[in-house]
Amino acid sequence: MDKDTKVLVLGGGGVAGIAWETGILAGLADAGVYVTDADLVVGTSAGATVAAQATNSKPPSALYDCRSVVRSSRPGSRITSGPRGASPSRPSTRSRASSSRVWPAVPIRGRRLFDGGMRSGTNADVAKDYGKVLVLDVIGFPETTDVEPVSAPLLTVTPGEASQAGLQNLLDPDSRAICARAGYDQGQRIAAEVKAFWA
């Protein structure tokens, strides 16, 4: 893959993670740093929601890859959905919210799929062959053994201290305001670093 290609990876993290990642993206954009112009956008679990929203707000003429990563019920496999320029299909978007202990797997083409967060909190290895990778990693979940290392230049952003109170319960809707504001402020603070990396 061309060394100039860019990937935005949005990790899982419940409603709190959606708010934090959305805040980061808004804070960066308001500082003049537009990372949703990536050649590939990878979303895992809650990050798939952010990826779909962030890329669908672009003009239809923009070429984007929005892929929602899900884990097959077969050990060691992953599936990416959403061909170039298309949004994830409805069943794969549903599977991003299925967890083997909480919600049932979603059947797609004879396979049972779970949330990609069951494999990795970010699934950044989907981007392993790209030029540079920006990862928003809400919770730093452990990864399964089939997750490959990313050799491309990598910048990982994790929630700052101001987000921690909201991240105590990732599924609490009341956490959204705290996490969104903290993400926005953090996006503003890291804008210069991200701009230099993304250039």
Side-chain angles (χ1 to χ4, degrees), residues 1-6 39 129-133 152-153 197 199:
M1 188 61 63
D2 185 328
K3 68 179 179 67
D4 293 327
T5 57
K6 302 172 188 175
D39 298 293
D129 296 324
Y130 282 76
K132 56 180 76 170
V133 182
F197 175 76

Side-chain angles (χ1 to χ4, degrees), residues 3 74 83 88 100 139 151 153-154 191-192:
K3 68 179 179 67
R74 293 182 213 158
S100 60
I139 47 182
S151 59
L154 183 73

Side-chain angles (χ1 to χ4, degrees), residues 134-156:
L134 173 62
V135 178
L136 302 186
D137 189 358
V138 180
I139 47 182
F141 274 153
E143 299 178 324
T144 59
T145 57
D146 65 313
V147 175
E148 300 175 49
V150 176
S151 59
L154 183 73
L155 176 61
T156 301

Side-chain angles (χ1 to χ4, degrees), residues 21-33:
E21 289 176 339
T22 303
I24 287 276
L25 296 176
L28 289 170
D30 284 355
V33 182

Side-chain angles (χ1 to χ4, degrees), residues 43-189:
T44 295
S45 193
T49 300
V50 178
Q53 292 170 344
T55 58
N56 281 333
S57 67
K58 296 290 182 184
S61 61
L63 296 175
Y64 285 95
D65 233 344
C66 180
R67 296 185 183 179
S68 175
V69 178
V70 295
R71 180 173 184 234
S72 171
S73 58
R74 293 182 213 158
S77 64
R78 73 162 189 253
I79 296 171
T80 58
S81 65
R84 179 170 283 288
S87 297
S89 65
R90 178 170 284 152
S92 68
T93 303
R94 278 198 321 262
S95 67
R96 68 152 178 83
S98 68
S99 169
S100 60
R101 294 194 170 115
V102 182
W103 295 288
V106 174
I108 299 177
R109 291 186 223 120
R111 297 176 78 181
R112 294 176 35 210
L113 303 180
F114 293 99
D115 186 303
M118 302 291 289
R119 176 180 182 269
S120 164
T122 64
N123 288 287
D125 64 328
V126 170
K128 67 184 176 70
D129 296 324
Y130 282 76
K132 56 180 76 170
V133 182
L134 173 62
V135 178
L136 302 186
D137 189 358
V138 180
I139 47 182
F141 274 153
E143 299 178 324
T144 59
T145 57
D146 65 313
V147 175
E148 300 175 49
V150 176
S151 59
L154 183 73
L155 176 61
T156 301
V157 178
T158 58
E161 191 175 322
S163 301
Q164 296 307 313
L167 294 172
Q168 296 304 308
N169 181 348
L170 298 173
L171 299 178
D172 180 3
D174 292 338
S175 67
R176 292 178 296 185
I178 294 168
C179 291
R181 186 67 209 181
Y184 181 89
D185 292 344
Q186 186 176 357
Q188 294 272 290
R189 284 193 310 276

